[in-house]
Amino acid sequence: MILKALFWGSLGGLAWTHAGYPIAAAGFRRLRARKVQKDEITPSVTLIVPAHDEEDVIGARVENLLELDYPRERLQIVVASDGSTDRTDEIVDSLSEDGHLRLLRCEREGKLPALNRAVRETDSEIVAFGDANATWAPDALRKLVRSFADPDVAYVCGQVRFQRRDGTNKEGVYWRYEMWLRESESALGSITGGNGAIYAVRREDYVEWPFGHDLGFPNLMVQRGRRAVYEPAALAFEKPSRDIEDEYRRKVRMLPWSWRHLFEARSLRGVPPLYLLELLSHRVLRYGSGFLHLGLLATSVTLVAEGLPYQAALAAQAAWLALAAAGKLKLPLPGAGLAYYYLLMSWATVVALGRYLREGAPLMWEKAEGTR
């Protein structure tokens, strides 16, 4: 009886987090969409770019931001250099002209301390953030800040589009699916996660939060009675890791922060019931997908003599694993690359939990291979 409950629970959890919940959220938003009051406002903005040894991309990044279509007198760009030892600081210095761009040299303490210091040393109405390897559309900042015309909005996240035509990574496919789901969550009230490529926070709502910005801030804003929304018209572009294996290593480095936020930040407390359902469906079950797959496979093998449902489940999993193996071998089978990508990303959740339990979430960040 326990094995059958584990089988159906694992199967149901996977089906709900990957298909049932996204479809339900898209349908429910049609019934009770909560609009964001937007206006073409131009509040004062400090745009902060954290950087550690980014000499290969920082020049292009700064030039991209200097060309944003935003009133120059309302925008200050700050590069928070986290103990860079290459030419990052020199390049930023060479592009500084009239105080519009500022280099903030920080001791090597990690990304969050660098961001916190940059916020403390500026005084704009809005603080915006973007990765050193990202590129923003010319109107991205204007589109990002217009949602702050709504007094309930504390956090706004833009849309990341991944650009890569070589390599095997399927992150772009996943990310399009994720952006579709994020749009539904935003319409229902607030998103459950952001991204580091393009986002902004109202200064009065900024918190020196030890659990990271991408997951921590949207959740925290809702706990404080505020909204965290998604603005798909604010576009940023990034190059993802080149190959699936590179993406797997990147996920293993990043996901310990997700586990830390889940276990330590009390993220499920003090939120409205609908948002709690979103967190459980989108975050908790998604992080646990690797374990759900292991549970499903183990119970399918154990219960295979119990009837057709268990035999069919085992056969389907065997076929999927065979397709993933074909993807690893780069055989030209339809869906093989996507199956291999999904297998590694699911396994990354398991490996990352082990890393978190052994080492915690590392404060220092490492650049992902092939993303520059």
Side-chain angles (χ1 to χ4, degrees):
M1 197 67 181
I2 294 176
L3 287 176
K4 289 183 179 180
L6 180 58
F7 172 88
W8 290 109
S10 298
L11 182 60
L14 288 168
W16 175 253
T17 189
H18 292 311
Y21 168 64
I23 293 171
F28 194 40
R29 65 175 286 194
R30 295 178 178 274
L31 301 177
R32 54 146 293 169
R34 185 178 171 189
K35 292 184 178 180
V36 176
Q37 176 186 324
K38 299 180 182 180
D39 199 1
E40 299 302 322
I41 58 175
T42 54
S44 60
V45 177
T46 299
L47 205 168
I48 301 168
V49 178
H52 173 70
D53 289 352
E54 296 283 7
E55 64 179 5
D56 293 338
V57 298
I58 198 63
R61 177 58 166 149
V62 167
E63 290 174 357
N64 164 244
L65 295 179
L66 289 172
E67 294 172 358
L68 288 175
D69 176 23
Y70 201 82
R72 196 174 181 86
E73 69 278 5
R74 306 291 288 167
L75 173 64
Q76 183 181 35
I77 300 166
V78 176
V79 176
S81 178
D82 181 36
S84 294
T85 57
D86 63 355
R87 295 183 58 249
T88 295
D89 295 2
E90 177 187 340
I91 293 169
V92 176
D93 263 338
S94 70
L95 295 171
S96 302
E97 298 176 356
D98 57 2
H100 188 53
L101 168 67
R102 176 188 172 193
L103 170 66
L104 179 63
R105 291 185 174 88
C106 306
E107 295 183 5
R108 179 68 165 145
E109 294 182 300
K111 183 177 182 178
L112 279 178
L115 294 177
N116 290 335
R117 180 181 167 189
V119 173
R120 286 196 301 268
E121 296 191 14
T122 57
D123 60 2
S124 59
E125 299 167 75
I126 305 295
V127 282
F129 305 87
D131 291 333
N133 62 318
T135 301
W136 285 17
D139 64 351
L141 186 56
R142 283 186 178 272
K143 296 291 178 61
L144 194 66
V145 303
R146 64 184 182 176
S147 292
F148 289 112
D150 190 324
D152 292 333
V153 171
Y155 172 102
V156 184
C157 172
Q159 179 184 173
V160 180
R161 290 185 180 175
F162 288 118
Q163 298 179 312
R164 175 143 233 156
R165 296 183 179 179
D166 62 333
T168 62
N169 194 1
K170 303 298 181 182
E171 183 72 2
V173 177
Y174 163 75
W175 201 247
R176 289 192 293 274
Y177 158 81
E178 180 69 18
M179 292 299 97
W180 170 64
L181 177 52
R182 186 168 295 178
E183 195 163 358
S184 295
E185 289 181 340
S186 183
L188 291 173
S190 289
I191 57 178
T192 59
N195 64 74
I198 179 166
Y199 66 103
V201 184
R202 206 184 294 269
R203 174 175 293 277
E204 64 194 43
D205 292 298
Y206 186 86
V207 178
E208 295 193 7
W209 189 237
F211 302 106
H213 289 186
D214 292 2
L215 292 176
F217 269 13
N219 197 161
L220 179 64
M221 300 308 158
V222 175
Q223 288 177 321
R224 292 157 63 97
R226 312 285 282 139
R227 288 188 73 183
V229 301
Y230 170 54
E231 175 50 79
L235 296 177
F237 305 90
E238 280 193 355
K239 184 189 295 184
S241 304
R242 183 180 187 278
D243 294 318
I244 294 175
E245 294 82 2
D246 296 333
E247 186 63 27
Y248 166 77
R249 288 186 285 269
R250 189 179 78 91
K251 285 287 197 296
V252 170
R253 289 195 298 269
M254 291 173 54
L255 283 171
W257 279 94
S258 300
W259 286 114
R260 184 189 181 201
H261 181 256
L262 180 62
F263 288 138
E264 300 180 34
R266 299 182 177 181
S267 58
L268 303 180
R269 298 186 181 183
V271 297
L274 177 59
Y275 193 73
L276 176 60
L277 176 62
E278 293 173 13
L279 289 174
L280 293 171
S281 303
H282 193 175
R283 299 299 163 189
V284 177
L285 286 176
R286 186 75 63 83
Y287 300 152
S289 60
F291 296 95
L292 291 174
H293 274 292
L294 290 174
L296 182 63
L297 181 59
T299 53
S300 297
V301 171
T302 306
L303 297 168
V304 69
E306 294 290 321
L308 183 59
Y310 310 105
Q311 295 164 6
L314 183 59
Q317 291 171 87
W320 168 62
L321 289 171
L323 191 61
K328 177 177 174 57
L329 296 172
K330 298 182 174 59
L331 299 180
L333 294 178
L338 195 57
Y340 180 47
Y341 166 84
Y342 180 77
L343 174 65
L344 278 191
M345 299 313 112
S346 297
W347 182 242
T349 64
V350 177
V351 176
L353 177 58
R355 183 173 180 178
Y356 164 75
L357 294 175
R358 291 192 311 271
E359 308 169 12
L363 191 59
M364 306 299 177
W365 85 91
E366 308 167 39
K367 293 179 286 187
E369 296 179 27
T371 61
R372 266 60 182 170

